[in-house]
């Protein structure tokens, strides 16, 4: 299987009967290929329809000179947006926009982002653009420094202190209005609920298999809202692009490395050694 679930480029050919897309269009690839006729598909949630497939996992992806996607999955890119930015928008930025939109993140909120990998970095950019004060949490100095460069107002090094205590310190003991957990670490997932303020909102975005929580202590008695953040509906794309352009969000700052496709072996090895964050292939 050809990998690459985030991709963007120029349309060079159309299948028979394709409408709404033209040769020469600049597009990004929506990664969820699903049933557009299903009630959830009609609302844009193609990844929630039965039998959906993932671009770059279940079908050949974008790490190639050419890729093929359904016309419905061709997302229009404005001329002012680079292909690199468009590709990155198709997963982590779009996921964070949809998640924070559901959480109602806005001015006056204190948002703690736990796990400063590519998804957490996108969370910082979106939360800052929505007017929030952002606390970034991670165990790596380099990632915390990167979070500051993206606009984080404070950082907590959870290798040196308990993340809940650090977030409490930065919020005067009240806790964060919103906690976005991007690491998938079970301890951090529990800590996210501990660190949230009463009446707070929490999103689990990092994938995991299990986590131990105390529903009475964490949810019921604090009156928390807990949601899962997983991708974004196809119908939200134009709104996402407009938000990024309107707020002049520096999406390309999320990209740590660029490689030609010929250096794919080196690129994947560097990623496995955690020497890169978000790395992209460019032509």
């Amino acid at each position: 299987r050809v990998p690459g679930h985030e991709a963007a480029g120029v349309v060079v050919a159309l299948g028979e009967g394709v409408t709404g897309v033209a040769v020469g269009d600049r597009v990004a690839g929506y990664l969820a290929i699903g049933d557009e006729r299903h009630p959830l598909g009609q609302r844009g949630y193609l990844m929630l329809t039965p039998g959906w497939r993932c671009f770059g996992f279940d079908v050949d992806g974008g790490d190639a000179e050419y890729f093929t996607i359904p016309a419905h999955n061709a997302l229009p890119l404005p001329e002012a947006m680079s292909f690199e930015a468009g590709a990155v928008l198709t997963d982590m930025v779009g996921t964070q926009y949809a998640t924070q939109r559901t959480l109602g993140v806005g001015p006056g909120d204190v948002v703690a982002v736990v796990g400063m990998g590519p998804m957490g970095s996108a969370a910082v950019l979106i939360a800052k653009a929505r007017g929030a004060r952002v606390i970034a949490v991670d165990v790596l100095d380099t990632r915390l420094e990167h979070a500051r460069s993206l606009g984080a107002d404070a950082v907590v090094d959870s290798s040196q202190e308990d993340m809940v205590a650090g977030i409490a310190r930065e919020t005067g003991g009240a806790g964060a209005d919103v906690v976005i957990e991007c690491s998938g670490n079970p301890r951090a997932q529990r800590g996210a609920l501990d660190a949230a303020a009463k009446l707070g909102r929490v999103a689990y975005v990092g994938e995991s298999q299990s986590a131990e929580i105390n529903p009475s202590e964490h949810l019921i008695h604090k009156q928390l809202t807990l949601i899962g953040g997983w991708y974004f509906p196809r119908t939200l794309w134009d709104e996402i692009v407009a938000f990024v352009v309107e707020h002049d969000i520096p999406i390309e700052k999320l990209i740590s490395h660029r490689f030609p496709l010929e250096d794919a072996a080196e690129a994947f090895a560097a990623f496995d050694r955690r020497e890169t964050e978000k790395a992209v292939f460019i032509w």
Side-chain angles (χ1 to χ4, degrees):
R1 182 70 66 212
V2 176
H5 67 287
E6 299 161 291
V10 177
V11 176
V12 296
L14 302 176
E16 184 179 351
V18 168
T19 60
V21 183
V23 170
D25 284 355
R26 304 172 78 255
V27 301
Y30 185 76
L31 67 82
I33 300 171
D35 184 355
E36 302 166 36
R37 298 166 298 178
H38 188 278
L40 289 171
Q42 292 175 9
R43 294 167 57 189
Y45 292 94
L46 297 175
M47 69 288 196
L48 299 182
T49 63
W52 78 282
R53 297 175 297 162
C54 187
F55 178 62
F57 288 86
D58 304 308
V59 301
D60 287 342
D63 289 354
E65 290 284 351
Y66 301 94
F67 60 88
T68 302
I69 53 173
H72 186 70
N73 289 65
L75 306 171
L77 276 185
E79 289 292 336
M81 184 172 288
S82 70
F83 290 123
E84 293 99 319
V88 171
L89 251 66
T90 63
D91 189 354
M92 57 193 187
V93 174
T95 296
Q96 281 301 325
Y97 181 84
T99 299
Q100 295 189 33
R101 184 179 188 266
T102 299
L103 292 172
V105 172
D109 280 331
V110 176
V111 176
V113 180
V114 183
M116 289 308 306
M119 183 63 73
S121 296
V124 171
L125 283 183
I126 296 299
K128 289 300 297 180
R130 296 184 74 92
R133 177 173 180 262
V134 177
I135 303 168
V137 181
D138 204 279
V139 297
L140 298 176
D141 286 339
T142 54
R143 286 186 166 183
L144 294 175
E145 290 171 9
H146 185 52
R148 285 193 185 278
S149 75
L150 297 175
D153 301 280
V155 300
V156 173
D157 184 344
S158 53
S159 72
Q160 301 298 317
E161 68 173 324
D162 178 70
M163 62 169 270
V164 178
I167 293 171
R169 184 190 67 250
E170 293 292 341
T171 58
D177 301 296
V178 175
V179 183
I180 302 174
E181 207 298 302
C182 299
S183 74
N185 182 295
R187 183 177 178 182
Q189 289 178 324
R190 181 183 177 92
L193 300 176
D194 288 323
K198 294 177 180 178
L199 297 178
R201 295 99 76 196
V202 178
Y204 284 175
V205 183
E207 299 277 358
S208 70
Q209 297 299 315
S210 64
E212 182 179 330
I213 68 172
N214 182 328
S216 290
E217 174 188 347
H218 287 137
L219 301 176
I220 298 171
H221 297 159
K222 291 177 74 173
Q223 291 290 279
L224 293 188
T225 297
L226 173 62
I227 69 166
W230 183 46
Y231 210 40
F232 63 94
R234 167 68 176 79
T235 50
L236 206 57
W237 175 253
D238 290 343
E239 183 178 324
I240 293 168
V241 171
F243 181 84
V244 169
V245 172
E246 177 185 352
H247 293 273
D248 195 23
I249 301 176
I251 297 300
E252 290 192 33
K253 291 181 70 174
L254 296 171
I255 299 170
S256 65
H257 292 73
R258 292 171 171 82
F259 296 91
L261 189 62
E262 293 76 13
D263 293 343
E266 174 191 341
F268 281 109
F271 179 81
D272 286 343
R273 294 192 298 266
R274 301 186 74 174
E275 295 172 1
T276 77
E277 293 297 336
K278 176 57 70 175
V280 298
F281 293 119
I282 58 172
W283 279 260

